[in-house]
């Protein structure tokens, strides 16, 4: 049996829920009676049938509504692997750091192309970091304090999952000087990221090797599965860029979050309207069980 979860934090009319059940039936699925997770915000419709047909029949049909289709069994996950920039925080740290060097537009254009999968991630990172050579190390802490903000829903997502016994790991193609404090304030168990090299109080324009990229993210997922003696079905991975695709594809529930087109097209689930709390509703967890501090 599968579950289709419709999520609309700004309101989900009952008429749309009935229409969704009708569309599932028309697609050859056999839906059960809808079951609210939180009234007017998130609802489950269990069904028997083809999950791909179900998704095709519902995705994009209702304005402002996100859809997750997955097996009903095991939907509450025991492992969260998350990207940082533009996923757990609202900015791309390297772009904001480049602003302190007066070259944000130049760096941001490369970042966008890399996240869209148009450039090799490792090569693009080296090229962008090289442009930061000579920047005062203090700009890192200024950027963290002045620009880096949690993505809405990040804290309840991570802390609720951890309260339920899940392991939460932040894996970023960005930098440890941002990832470690971000992980601590959101509530992750650990953080993995790249290390900017500094000499005499200035960025050298290089990053320590090997670079944390797509392969590292997938390897982190697989290592944590082994560590916790889990199955892939028990895992959730979320990200927005092309370097997140391998871990998104490998996870039991791989989610493209407000993602670049290449990621949204390839992911089995995507969140385009809601914030990160949508991933709690996707696991069937009502607001009454959310942990925010």
């Amino acid at each position: 049996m599968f579950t289709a979860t419709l999520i609309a934090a700004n309101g989900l009319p009952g008429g749309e829920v009935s229409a969704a059940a009708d569309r599932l039936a028309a697609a050859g699925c056999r839906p059960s009676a809808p079951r609210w997770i939180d009234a007017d915000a998130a609802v489950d419709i269990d069904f028997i049938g083809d999950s791909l047909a179900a998704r095709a029949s519902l995705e994009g049909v209702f304005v402002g509504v996100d859809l997750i289709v997955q097996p009903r069994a095991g939907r509450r996950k025991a492992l969260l692997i998350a990207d940082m920039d533009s996923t757990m925080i609202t900015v791309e740290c390297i772009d904001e750091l480049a602003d302190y060097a007066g070259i944000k537009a130049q760096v941001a254009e490369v970042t966008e192309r890399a996240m869209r999968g148009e450039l090799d991630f490792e090569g693009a990172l080296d090229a962008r970091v090289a442009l930061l050579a000579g920047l005062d190390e203090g700009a890192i802490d200024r950027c963290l304090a002045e620009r880096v903000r949690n993505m809405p829903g990040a804290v309840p997502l991570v802390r609720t999952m951890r309260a339920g016994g899940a392991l939460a790991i932040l894996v970023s193609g960005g930098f440890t000087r941002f990832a470690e404090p971000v992980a601590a304030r959101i509530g992750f168990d650990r953080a993995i990221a790249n290390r900017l090299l500094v000499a005499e109080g200035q960025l050298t324009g290089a990053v320590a090797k090997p670079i944390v990229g797509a392969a590292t993210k997938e390897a982190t997922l697989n290592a944590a599965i082994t560590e916790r003696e889990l199955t892939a079905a028990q895992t959730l991975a979320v990200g927005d860029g092309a370097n997140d695709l391998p871990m998104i594809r490998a996870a039991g529930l791989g989610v493209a979050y407000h993602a670049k087109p290449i990621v949204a097209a390839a992911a089995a689930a995507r969140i385009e309207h809601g914030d990160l709390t949508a991933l709690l509703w996707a696991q069937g967890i009502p607001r009454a069980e959310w942990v925010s501090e």
Side-chain angles (χ1 to χ4, degrees):
M1 180 171 286
F2 295 92
T3 298
T5 305
L6 279 68
I7 300 165
N10 293 324
L12 186 60
E16 290 189 351
V17 176
S18 296
D22 290 343
R23 292 184 70 88
L24 284 170
C29 302
R30 289 184 287 161
S32 302
R35 182 179 65 256
W36 287 101
I37 305 172
D38 278 306
D40 302 322
V43 66
D44 284 339
I45 306 176
D46 296 333
F47 66 91
I48 297 172
D50 185 338
S51 63
L52 295 179
R55 181 182 175 188
S57 73
L58 297 176
E59 201 161 53
V61 172
F62 305 108
V63 176
V65 175
D66 290 311
L67 169 74
I68 304 288
V69 176
Q70 61 185 320
R72 178 178 175 180
R75 64 191 294 202
R76 188 152 184 168
K77 305 305 182 185
L79 173 64
L80 170 66
I81 305 290
D83 173 50
M84 182 176 69
D85 296 71
S86 298
T87 301
M88 286 291 144
I89 60 174
T90 59
V91 297
E92 294 285 336
C93 289
I94 193 169
D95 296 353
E96 299 307 315
L97 195 57
D99 201 20
Y100 290 87
I103 53 171
K104 181 175 180 178
Q106 182 180 353
V107 169
E109 189 272 335
V110 178
T111 300
E112 178 69 13
R113 291 185 64 196
M115 292 302 98
R116 288 179 174 272
E118 297 170 5
L119 299 174
D120 170 70
F121 177 81
E122 286 79 1
L125 183 64
D126 275 336
R128 286 174 290 164
V129 171
L131 295 172
L132 301 178
L135 181 65
D136 187 276
E137 181 184 9
I140 298 173
D141 290 334
R142 284 185 59 200
C143 184
L144 180 64
E146 296 172 358
R147 310 247 180 135
V148 178
R149 299 291 179 264
N150 296 347
M151 187 69 72
V155 169
L157 170 63
V158 173
R159 297 190 182 186
T160 301
M161 290 189 67
R162 286 193 65 197
L167 176 66
I169 305 176
L170 185 68
V171 187
S172 174
F175 309 116
T176 55
R177 291 283 293 271
F178 295 101
E180 289 173 355
V182 164
R185 78 189 190 195
I186 292 177
F188 283 90
D189 290 283
R190 64 188 74 149
I192 299 169
N194 292 298
R195 184 167 61 89
L196 282 170
L197 299 183
V198 176
E200 298 180 354
Q202 295 182 330
L203 274 63
T204 67
V207 62
K209 302 298 191 291
I211 286 175
V212 175
T216 308
K217 294 188 177 195
E218 184 179 16
T220 299
L221 172 70
N222 291 330
I225 287 172
T226 300
E227 174 188 337
R228 287 294 179 103
E229 298 182 341
L230 304 174
T231 65
Q234 294 174 279
T235 68
L236 165 61
V238 58
D240 74 299
N243 61 325
D244 299 313
L245 266 176
M247 73 173 185
I248 287 173
R249 288 176 171 140
L253 179 58
V255 181
Y257 180 77
H258 294 265
K260 302 300 183 286
I262 189 174
V263 185
R270 57 179 182 255
I271 300 299
E272 296 181 335
H273 307 289
D275 64 26
L276 287 167
T277 57
L279 300 185
L280 293 173
W281 279 320
Q283 296 176 75
I285 304 173
R287 284 194 186 106
E289 297 179 19
W290 295 359
V291 177
S292 58
E293 57 183 37

